[in-house]
Amino acid sequence: MKQSQPLLTIVVPCYNEEEVLEETAKQLTSVLDDLTAEELISSESKILFVDDGSRDRTWSLIAMESTKNDYVTGLKLARNVGHQKALLAGLEKAKDKSDCVVSIDADLQDDVSVIRDFILHYHEGCEIVYGVRRCRKTDTFFKRTTALGFYRFMNKLGINLVYNHADYRLMSKRALEELSRFKEANLFLRGIIPMIGFKWTEVIYDRKERFAGETKYPLKKMLSFAFDGITSFSVAPIRFITSLGFFLFFLSVIAGAYALIQKTLGYTNAGWTSLIISIWLIGGLQLMGIGMIGEYIGKIFMEVKGRPKYAIDIDLYSERLGHFQHDETDMLMEERFI
């Protein structure tokens, strides 16, 4: 059993979420009020909004909300680094001061009421609790089909993903400590976190329509995210290219033997079409193979440089806990609304 009143931090990565942010703060505040009243969490629990270099009023709204809501704090990143790195920034910032952390997107598609179930499972000893969608009725047919294919493909590659789970989860302090030991720059948290182990469970919920604003994951980003997940955890694509290369080699040996026999028997004819098709086929496969190898080399290049994943511009979370990040309070108050 966990301690009776753990300090919970809800981490919410945000990118251009001005249309939904106030409602998100309102609903999450209500959840924390209810959990505090039930004595399931500490009254010192927080909501940490992570502004991932937004170009709208997202940060101004976070800073303003923090002045009137004791739960709300903020972390402003110096530039846009992407959802996964922004989420990691929030998790790492909350790790030292929290007993457990819940991560949730700002769009309110995930049912905030099941955070209570997360906490109950945490009290029962679970270190990780995954929020899992009951179904995908709100998705288009294309998105539903491609998502199902992606999960099945990843499982066949031996990559352990929780089906229909995104980034809505609870992690204990111990699980976050283990996560901090993973140093790769190419982040795919949905694949990394199941590798941690520890006692875990799932909470099933119904996903809602987006409260306001537009999705930050159009088709192009979804495909890029899926490809990053595959190449970050498996060398299967390179092995596929190698296998295809061997297959075409043996096929060319058979074709060469056939051509030699035809020439010996005097049946040869000029074959411009077959020649051009062969050249295009082999050339295309070579370029595909080189591109696939280049993708992995590029990932190695990013890893060995060891550059920081993000830079923090303003840290209201530490300030709220009594550790000011700026020497002059007036300067901080001025920067809040920039």
Side-chain angles (χ1 to χ4, degrees):
M1 295 291 291
K2 301 295 184 181
Q3 58 176 300
S4 58
Q5 293 183 329
L7 196 153
L8 167 67
T9 298
I10 301 177
V11 174
V12 189
C14 305
Y15 179 68
N16 294 342
E17 298 287 3
E18 65 176 1
E19 296 180 41
V20 72
L21 195 136
E22 291 184 11
E23 181 64 23
T24 302
K26 177 182 176 182
Q27 292 193 23
L28 292 178
T29 296
S30 177
V31 169
L32 292 185
D33 279 337
D34 292 343
L35 293 175
T36 301
E38 292 185 68
E39 298 186 346
L40 291 174
I41 62 171
S42 168
S43 59
E44 298 298 316
S45 297
K46 302 296 178 188
I47 304 168
L48 173 58
F49 289 102
V50 182
D51 178 24
D52 184 22
S54 297
R55 294 173 292 179
D56 61 4
R57 297 174 53 249
T58 296
W59 176 250
S60 296
L61 292 174
I62 293 172
M64 190 179 300
E65 193 70 29
S66 72
T67 62
K68 58 184 181 181
N69 187 333
D70 289 338
Y71 288 127
V72 173
T73 63
L75 196 66
K76 186 177 189 297
L77 303 186
R79 64 181 181 87
N80 177 253
V81 294
H83 178 272
Q84 296 289 280
K85 291 179 180 178
L87 175 56
L88 182 68
L91 295 177
E92 290 184 336
K93 175 57 64 174
K95 170 173 61 71
D96 295 333
K97 304 296 183 181
S98 309
D99 298 302
C100 56
V101 173
V102 168
S103 59
I104 185 173
D105 290 338
D107 55 19
L108 294 177
Q109 287 188 276
D110 298 316
D111 185 0
V112 299
S113 66
V114 301
I115 292 177
R116 183 178 185 276
D117 297 323
F118 288 3
I119 296 298
L120 292 176
H121 284 297
Y122 172 79
H123 281 286
E124 293 169 359
C126 290
E127 305 279 357
I128 303 174
V129 183
Y130 298 103
V132 177
R133 298 172 60 171
R134 190 185 310 277
C135 60
R136 288 182 168 267
K137 291 181 180 179
T138 58
D139 290 346
T140 63
F141 173 78
F142 175 79
K143 186 174 181 180
R144 187 164 56 247
T145 304
T146 52
L148 176 63
F150 172 70
Y151 281 108
R152 287 179 175 174
F153 182 66
M154 294 290 274
N155 286 332
K156 285 188 177 296
L157 294 181
I159 303 170
N160 183 28
L161 295 184
V162 178
Y163 183 67
N164 272 349
H165 164 71
D167 290 299
Y168 188 26
R169 66 178 76 88
L170 176 145
M171 299 183 69
S172 69
K173 185 182 184 71
R174 190 162 77 109
L176 289 170
E177 292 286 356
E178 289 298 315
L179 177 62
S180 67
R181 296 175 58 195
F182 289 80
K183 303 299 183 182
E184 56 252 53
N186 300 286
L187 286 177
F188 187 68
L189 294 176
R190 300 179 198 182
I192 293 175
I193 291 174
M195 296 173 63
I196 294 175
F198 296 155
K199 183 178 179 181
W200 63 275
T201 190
E202 299 177 358
V203 172
I204 308 298
Y205 69 96
D206 293 313
R207 191 170 170 86
K208 306 174 183 178
E209 295 284 352
R210 194 178 222 281
F211 180 81
E214 299 178 353
T215 177
K216 304 306 182 294
Y217 267 92
L219 178 61
K220 182 179 178 181
K221 279 193 174 183
M222 285 194 298
L223 292 175
S224 176
F225 184 67
F227 190 70
D228 281 343
I230 293 169
T231 54
S232 294
F233 283 85
S234 175
V235 295
I238 288 183
R239 289 176 179 170
F240 171 75
I241 295 295
T242 303
S243 301
L244 186 59
F246 276 111
F247 172 75
L248 290 175
F249 170 75
F250 287 118
L251 193 64
S252 65
V253 170
I254 295 172
Y258 173 76
L260 184 61
I261 294 172
Q262 291 290 90
K263 182 177 182 180
T264 303
L265 297 177
Y267 295 140
T268 55
N269 293 308
W272 183 86
T273 302
S274 61
L275 178 63
I276 292 300
I277 291 175
S278 298
I279 292 174
W280 285 0
L281 175 63
I282 300 300
L285 288 172
Q286 286 176 333
L287 289 175
M288 186 169 64
I290 292 171
M292 188 65 68
I293 294 171
E295 180 70 24
Y296 281 91
I297 293 175
K299 287 185 178 293
I300 295 170
F301 176 66
M302 295 301 294
E303 295 290 346
V304 298
K305 285 190 294 186
R307 290 178 179 174
K309 300 178 182 67
Y310 54 84
I312 296 175
D313 187 9
I314 303 176
D315 179 6
L316 300 183
Y317 183 78
S318 295
E319 177 208 351
R320 180 59 61 85
L321 294 173
H323 303 289
F324 285 84
Q325 299 301 304
H326 299 273
D327 293 333
E328 297 180 12
T329 305
D330 292 341
M331 182 185 299
L332 176 59
M333 293 301 295
E334 181 181 353
E335 287 180 330
R336 279 177 173 171
F337 299 98
I338 295 176

